[in-house]
Structures are given as C-alpha cells and as structure tokens.
Amino acid sequence: MNASRLPAAEFEAEEVLRAAHTADVGRDQEPGGEMIQVLSSDGSMAGGMVAEVAGSTVDFAPYLSATDAPHLRSLYRDMFLIRRFDQESTALQRQGQLALWVPLTGQEAAQIGSGRALQAQDYAFPTYREHGVALTRGVRFDEILRLFRGVTNGGWDPRERNFHLYTLVLAAQSLHAVGYAMGMQRDQLTDPSLPQGVSVAYFGDGASSEGDIHESMVFAASFDAPVVFFCQNNQWAISVPSSVQTKVPLAKRAEGYGFPGVRVDGNDVVAVEAVMRWALEHARTGKGPVLIEAYTYRMSAHTTADDPTKYRLSRDEQEWQTRDPLARLEAYLRTAGLADESFFEELGAEARSMATDLREAVLSMTAPDLESRFAAVYAEPHPLVQEELRFFQQYEAGFADEGKHA
C-alpha cells in the first residue's frame, strides 16, 4: 500500500490475494496432519481416527458408521439432494423468483454429517447457509425458500423441528445457542427425567472474528454449558481469506477458553459425523462445551449478490474440486461395492422430481397482505402499530388503479 495515503476501510484486493497466496497459507492444515479424516480425497479409507484433544488421547473410531452400507448411502443421498436443491435455488434467484440465495456447494459433508449426528432433543442454531442441517432436522425445501422468496420472516416453526430460524446477523446465534444450552442445563437440574439436550451453534470462519463468539465461549466455559460450537471454515469471510483472520487453526482457539477443540476434514462426511457424535456426547454428559472446526471450502459464491472471481483464484477452486465431498463418498461406495448403478440412477431421478416440485411450490407462493404483516409485530394489538397500518392503507389508496384506467 502506498504510504502517502491513508489505508482503506477494507483490504485492497491485491493485499488480500497476497496474504492468501504468497504466505504458504494453510500448508500445515492439509488433511493427513492434525486433522481427523476417514475418507481421503480419492475415496479410500485414510484412517487416522486417534488424536490429541485438550491434552488427552481420543479415539473417534467407536463413533463411526463406516461399515453400515445403508447408512452411508443415506448420507450420500442427503448430500446429493441438498446440492441439487442448491443448484435449483440459485437458478430461481437468477430468474428473479428469489430475492437472494446463499449457496452451500462444497459444504454438504460438514452440514449433513453434523446434522445427522444430532438427537431429537438437541437444538441447532443456524446461520443463513445451513440448508443441509435443515434437511436433517425435517425442514422442507420449500419452507426454506419462503424466507428467500420474501413471503415470510421465518418459514417453519423452530419448536417443532428443534432447528431455529436462520440468523442473518453475523454470530448472533452463538449467544442464543449458549443461552439455550444453559436453560436446558437448568431444566435438567429441576427435572432429571428430562432427556439431556445439547445446543449447537453453527457459524463460519468469518463470524469467528466477531465479539459475540468470544462472549459465547466465555459463558459456555464458565458454566460448562452443554453446547457444541460448529465452525465451518470455508476459507473465505465473503472476500477476506481465513489466513487474514487467524494465524493458527481455528480449533486451537478453544484452548484459550479451557475446553476441547477438534479439527476435522469438513469434506469427509463420515469423519464429521463421528467427531460430532463424540462432541455431543462430551457436552451431553456434563463435560462442557466443544469447538469443532470443519475444514472445508465454499465452492460457490458467498451469496448470489457476490462475485468470487474478484478475490479468488481459479487454481484454488480447481484444487478443491478434487476434494469434492460427494465425489469421494461416491468413489468409496462404488469401489467397496456398497452401491450399484441403479442406486445412483434412482437418486438422480428423485433429485430431478424434487427440483420440479420445488419450482412449482416457489412459483405458487404469494406475499401475505399488508394487514398480516402489521399483525405480526406484537403478540397483542398495539395502538401505534394500528396507527401506522392506517397510514399505509391511506398511502396505498392514493395510487391510481391501473386496471380501471386501462
């Protein structure tokens, strides 16, 4: 940067690229090192399920389901469907049918693996990108798109699914997750017959730099709250690489708060599910919080309003294509004889049918009338809100009806 002028409020593009591509970034963070991995990029069994966590040796092998063929096929099915859902949603936004879309391509394994490990009584607090976790919690695809269509502020009842509404404010959900965990902790003390639930805070590497994350982890550690912090390190906080935000693997930050941190290959759905099961058991049995860093990559844009070609190199995207979470599990299913061609053909047909039904559902969505919007501000009628409603009704009535003058 030219020293003769003040620094810009944002990183200059060339400075971001220099930090990301000339400082040997992440070379100690590749799979095969300190990262838990079961399936390697080529779909072969990698092993390496024993690791040092918070000064203790942990064997994650007992938490695996790798020998269960139906289970592995179901994991692949979920990942395949959520990617097809992502593709269809992106197309709908490009065609003007959604106001915005937040893609997840590349992060299917992190979301499906972690979501499938949850038990019914556990409660997940998502960001705006956890469509895969939503699928594992029973949220319908069209319910997710109601928010992005702009016809509702939510889309589903979080109390029915134990899956909270999407949080658009960066890192705010981490505070909610810890507070909810502390509430469950106290409910358990009052009534020990209740099933012990765990709260899960999903967030990205960008949100890890927010103060809310620090405050959440302080509270969680102080009270041994039953919460799992699940960070999907997808390498980019919109346009800033994770290497600019941290000089150590994000999982190591847990040491500063006094609880375990684990790094897992976020493109390995089998490893993610095993590590998440261990973390949930750790929190569920009163041992306190856990931080999981799922090391993955956002293969698409941050949102459909973003252009990653402005800050990301194509060679990096090509390198991560070789680590595709779907490709590696498909390779394992085929080479191990756990799935035949008919399985993949039937799944492709199911995905196409799902996309057709989804498009029809979205196009049939209509915005609620003005009165219902105002009625949702407070639980009970409020004089000021009613006054504002009358004002807007008069305002709208002042426009000429084009139909009458055609």
Side-chain angles (χ1 to χ4, degrees):
M1 180 179 291
N2 191 332
S4 64
R5 63 183 177 90
L6 293 174
E10 300 290 338
F11 289 103
E12 299 289 354
E14 61 270 20
E15 294 179 45
V16 173
L17 291 175
R18 189 182 311 119
H21 304 294
T22 64
D24 196 27
V25 173
R27 295 298 179 251
D28 63 328
Q29 302 177 0
E30 298 294 322
E34 61 178 348
M35 188 180 303
I36 305 300
Q37 185 187 67
V38 177
L39 288 177
S40 61
S41 297
D42 62 3
S44 60
M45 280 291 179
M49 294 302 292
V50 177
E52 290 293 321
V53 179
S56 301
T57 300
V58 177
D59 183 5
F60 294 95
Y63 301 91
L64 286 173
S65 298
T67 58
D68 184 347
H71 181 70
L72 287 179
R73 288 196 295 267
S74 71
L75 291 176
Y76 183 84
R77 175 185 177 274
D78 282 356
M79 290 197 295
F80 189 90
L81 290 178
I82 203 64
R83 178 170 292 188
R84 185 65 182 86
F85 167 68
D86 191 24
Q87 293 169 346
E88 188 65 24
S89 299
T90 299
L92 285 165
Q93 193 283 326
R94 296 306 190 200
Q95 295 162 9
Q97 300 302 329
L98 301 178
L100 182 74
W101 179 242
V102 185
L104 61 65
T105 296
Q107 299 179 223
E108 295 90 350
Q111 295 192 14
I112 297 300
S114 62
R116 289 288 293 273
L118 297 174
Q119 295 184 11
Q121 70 270 23
D122 299 331
Y123 199 106
F125 288 84
T127 65
Y128 37 66
R129 198 187 302 275
E130 271 67 63
H131 320 311
V133 184
L135 172 63
T136 67
R137 302 305 278 175
V139 179
R140 299 196 317 269
F141 289 145
D142 63 297
E143 291 178 319
I144 297 174
L145 294 191
R146 287 175 59 80
L147 173 65
F148 295 96
R149 177 77 163 173
V151 301
T152 179
N153 293 327
W156 61 89
D157 186 344
R159 294 164 295 188
E160 293 179 354
R161 319 293 174 81
N162 274 12
F163 183 76
H164 206 63
L165 298 176
Y166 280 178
T167 302
L168 305 183
V169 178
L170 207 62
Q173 72 280 1
S174 64
L175 295 169
H176 306 157
V178 173
Y180 196 90
M182 294 171 66
M184 290 193 293
Q185 190 179 51
R186 282 152 179 75
D187 288 344
Q188 185 73 21
L189 291 174
T190 303
D191 185 358
S193 66
L194 292 173
Q196 179 61 63
V198 177
S199 177
V200 181
Y202 284 91
F203 60 99
D205 51 293
S208 70
S209 296
E210 294 288 325
D212 287 1
I213 295 294
H214 169 73
E215 294 169 10
S216 300
M217 292 187 177
V218 167
F219 260 88
S222 298
F223 295 96
D224 286 328
V227 59
V228 173
F229 296 98
F230 193 89
C231 175
Q232 294 172 79
N233 182 358
N234 64 18
Q235 313 300 309
W236 291 95
I238 305 182
S239 60
V240 178
S242 59
S243 58
V244 173
Q245 300 185 83
T246 180
K247 301 303 179 184
V248 300
L250 290 172
K252 289 187 176 296
R253 290 187 176 181
E255 297 178 8
Y257 302 98
F259 56 82
V262 185
R263 298 186 76 243
V264 62
D265 184 349
N267 284 14
D268 179 355
V269 66
V270 180
V272 171
E273 185 184 35
V275 170
M276 187 64 165
R277 283 177 173 173
W278 171 83
L280 290 167
E281 180 182 280
H282 185 281
R284 201 183 311 279
T285 54
K287 298 177 182 177
V290 175
L291 168 61
I292 296 176
E293 178 192 356
Y295 191 75
T296 182
Y297 190 78
R298 168 167 55 82
M299 292 165 62
S300 49
H302 178 73
T303 71
T304 48
D306 172 42
D307 181 5
T309 64
K310 299 295 185 182
Y311 56 83
R312 211 162 64 182
L313 299 183
S314 59
R315 71 166 181 259
D316 292 338
E317 296 178 359
Q318 293 168 1
E319 178 185 352
W320 277 92
Q321 286 285 350
T322 65
R323 308 178 189 181
D324 189 307
L326 273 77
R328 73 172 65 180
L329 183 54
E330 178 179 348
Y332 178 73
L333 289 173
R334 289 183 182 275
T335 57
L338 302 180
D340 56 20
E341 193 61 39
S342 64
F343 166 76
F344 297 103
E345 291 176 354
E346 291 171 4
L347 182 56
E350 180 185 357
R352 290 190 293 273
S353 177
M354 176 274 293
T356 299
D357 293 343
L358 178 67
R359 175 172 290 272
E360 293 176 353
V362 169
L363 296 180
S364 67
M365 293 178 185
T366 57
D369 56 39
L370 191 65
E371 287 77 5
S372 64
R373 290 286 184 165
F374 280 82
V377 178
Y378 292 103
E380 302 293 336
H382 191 284
L384 180 58
V385 174
Q386 295 300 312
E387 179 182 344
E388 291 174 342
L389 172 59
R390 289 192 294 271
F391 169 81
F392 275 103
Q393 288 173 330
Q394 294 173 1
Y395 172 75
E396 285 196 328
F399 288 91
D401 189 333
E402 295 181 2
K404 294 181 180 179
H405 302 284

